[in-house]
Amino acid sequence: MGWFKKVTTSKRLFLTLFGIVLIGMIFSAVYVFSAVYSHDFAFSWNLSPYVAPPSSPNQTLDSTSLRVGDGKPKSIWVAPAPGSKMPPLETFRLTKEMVQERVKDNVIITTFGNYAFMDFILTWVKRLTDLGVENLLVGAMDIELLEALYRKGVPVFDMGSHMSEIDVGWGSPTFHKIGREKVILIDSMLPFGFELLMCDSDMVWLKNPLPYLARYPEADILTSTDQVTPTVTDERLDNWQEVGGAYNIGMFHWRPTDSAKRLAKEWKEMLLADENVWDQAGFNDLLHKQLGPPVDDESGLVYAYDGTLKLGLLPASIFCSGHTYFIQAMYQQLRLKPYAVHTTFQIGSEGKRHRLREAMVFYDPPEYYDSPGVFIYFITF
């Protein structure tokens, strides 16, 4: 009879464990189902401890109040009235007056791209506006993106690039053309007299960067890098003598100084003269024409380029690459809060999207979560 009692006891234990698991899964399924079909969850952006509460992009008004260059205040996410006509293309031409309407504390933040990167650009804009930062402009490299952003209430200008709407892929000839467009844009905007925080569209802001950049008013350029080992353990600039990774042009801050303007002009001329020069490699070559001595003993700035330009290297632990953020989590190891992540070291656009979704910092519209089916869980023993 002993064996019978053991079997009975085992069966009861199995049924008890099975019941606990089943109840837990039912509750989980109910929670997931209700969350997925909740509009508030589907459009929620408060997914990271470093992000402020979301803004509401649901208002509309007449299209004329969103026209760039009309001298009126511009509100982001305030879309033109449904069915309204698109303003003339020349309305979106980049001018000093257009930028002046968006600057704050003399700073403008800019990204650019084509229609294939629409979701990245919306993510970029939404993260900034959720952080309370609205002094931004987006450059459209094709008409499809220009109209799409305009109709969502995103401040946009025409780069006149006539770029293809498809994803051209890293390293392709069209990819290098995009790089040249960036340099041309920097060279065009610096003479306006505003500070320029230039970003690639495949990076995301996690914390307002402007107070950090303002700590270094003497810097002509502050740039991110591909450094994968920390040279500092706090928020100071990386030690320029220890940085071996390339200076990365996915996020860098320019002040409209004479030395920065000279660099932008020479950089542009270098790229236009030789289509085989990669924009980032050209930037590194120019800055390394002279590197050193340090500007002073405290700031971490260094003289570079022609010996007059003051350069600072943003710490890779908090102005993160894809490697230091997704793989190393360097900011966690150092107990720091990151300002940004640039999806470098990732495989293709789909890999970048996956990484950002995995980190819960990518914008997907409500319909992305609105699966028409029902989630069903199966247990096998």
Side-chain angles (χ1 to χ4, degrees):
M1 295 298 290
W3 65 268
F4 179 77
K5 290 181 179 179
K6 289 181 180 180
V7 170
T8 302
T9 302
S10 299
K11 184 176 181 181
R12 287 175 180 173
L13 179 60
F14 171 79
L15 291 175
T16 301
L17 291 175
F18 179 79
I20 292 172
V21 171
L22 184 60
I23 292 171
M25 295 189 67
I26 291 172
F27 275 103
S28 298
V30 170
Y31 173 78
V32 171
F33 183 83
S34 61
V36 167
Y37 286 91
S38 164
H39 177 271
D40 291 339
F41 175 86
F43 202 67
S44 172
W45 277 77
N46 195 17
L47 300 177
S48 165
Y50 315 121
V51 181
S55 57
S56 176
N58 297 321
Q59 296 172 295
T60 60
L61 76 167
D62 183 75
S63 62
T64 56
S65 62
L66 275 172
R67 293 186 182 184
V68 284
D70 62 5
K72 297 179 182 178
K74 305 299 181 293
S75 297
I76 301 180
W77 302 121
V78 181
S84 60
K85 291 184 178 180
M86 188 74 179
L89 188 59
E90 57 266 23
T91 306
F92 298 92
R93 184 171 59 88
L94 181 66
T95 64
K96 181 177 180 179
E97 291 72 27
M98 176 196 292
V99 181
Q100 178 71 67
E101 293 173 358
R102 294 239 57 94
V103 297
K104 181 179 180 182
D105 299 327
N106 208 49
V107 178
I108 188 71
I109 310 174
T110 301
T111 193
F112 62 96
N114 65 351
Y115 189 76
F117 281 79
M118 172 81 167
D119 51 352
F120 284 97
I121 291 171
L122 289 178
T123 295
W124 184 87
V125 174
K126 193 69 170 68
R127 301 302 289 192
L128 278 176
T129 56
D130 283 355
L131 291 166
V133 180
E134 296 196 350
N135 49 321
L136 60 91
L137 271 173
V138 177
M141 306 188 80
D142 58 67
I143 300 303
E144 286 74 12
L145 179 65
L146 180 73
E147 181 167 0
L149 292 178
Y150 167 77
R151 296 202 176 280
K152 288 186 176 294
V154 174
V156 60
F157 64 92
D158 178 24
M159 292 181 64
S161 306
H162 308 293
M163 186 67 63
S164 168
E165 307 88 24
I166 64 173
D167 186 346
V168 298
W170 192 95
S172 67
T174 307
F175 171 84
H176 289 296
K177 179 183 177 183
I178 292 174
R180 283 158 170 72
E181 294 285 335
K182 177 200 293 186
V183 182
I184 292 170
L185 181 58
I186 293 171
D187 182 61
S188 298
M189 293 184 74
L190 284 180
F192 294 163
F194 309 117
E195 297 181 28
L196 174 63
L197 178 52
M198 175 63 71
C199 317
D200 284 355
S201 60
D202 63 340
M203 60 83 55
V204 170
W205 291 108
L206 306 173
K207 188 177 175 182
N208 182 356
L210 300 181
Y212 184 94
L213 302 176
R215 298 178 193 176
Y216 302 96
E218 298 301 316
D220 298 303
I221 294 178
L222 296 167
T223 185
S224 59
T225 74
D226 287 336
Q227 183 71 7
V228 294
T229 55
T231 69
V232 295
T233 58
D234 52 20
E235 289 198 350
R236 288 174 298 161
L237 294 174
D238 263 334
N239 187 333
W240 62 272
Q241 294 173 308
E242 297 181 27
V243 171
Y247 302 161
N248 191 287
I249 59 176
M251 44 182 167
F252 51 172
H253 179 253
W254 295 66
R255 286 194 171 89
T257 60
D258 290 341
S259 55
K261 292 175 185 176
R262 284 196 298 272
L263 173 63
K265 186 174 187 297
E266 185 173 351
W267 188 20
K268 180 188 75 173
E269 291 173 349
M270 169 195 288
L271 297 179
L272 294 180
D274 186 350
E275 63 180 15
N276 294 315
V277 176
W278 181 28
D279 55 347
Q280 182 166 289
F283 179 75
N284 278 262
D285 288 345
L286 289 173
L287 286 178
H288 281 87
K289 285 171 63 175
Q290 177 177 330
L291 191 62
V295 172
D296 52 49
D297 295 331
E298 300 296 330
S299 68
L301 299 175
V302 59
Y303 287 109
Y305 174 49
D306 60 359
T308 67
L309 185 140
K310 299 172 184 176
L311 172 70
L313 305 181
L314 298 169
S317 57
I318 51 178
F319 291 85
C320 307
S321 67
H323 201 284
T324 62
Y325 186 87
F326 299 119
I327 300 171
Q328 296 176 258
M330 187 186 294
Y331 67 94
Q332 290 182 348
Q333 297 180 47
L334 299 176
R335 301 181 182 277
L336 300 173
K337 292 185 177 181
Y339 281 85
V341 53
H342 182 197
T343 54
T344 53
F345 299 95
Q346 309 305 307
I347 305 299
S349 300
E350 287 306 315
K352 295 171 187 279
R353 287 186 182 91
H354 173 75
R355 280 296 198 181
L356 293 174
R357 282 176 175 143
E358 196 173 49
M360 296 171 60
V361 295
F362 194 73
Y363 165 60
D364 284 301
E367 54 267 24
Y368 176 83
Y369 300 94
D370 255 345
S371 171
V374 177
F375 293 102
I376 301 176
Y377 292 86
F378 293 94
I379 302 178
T380 58
F381 292 94

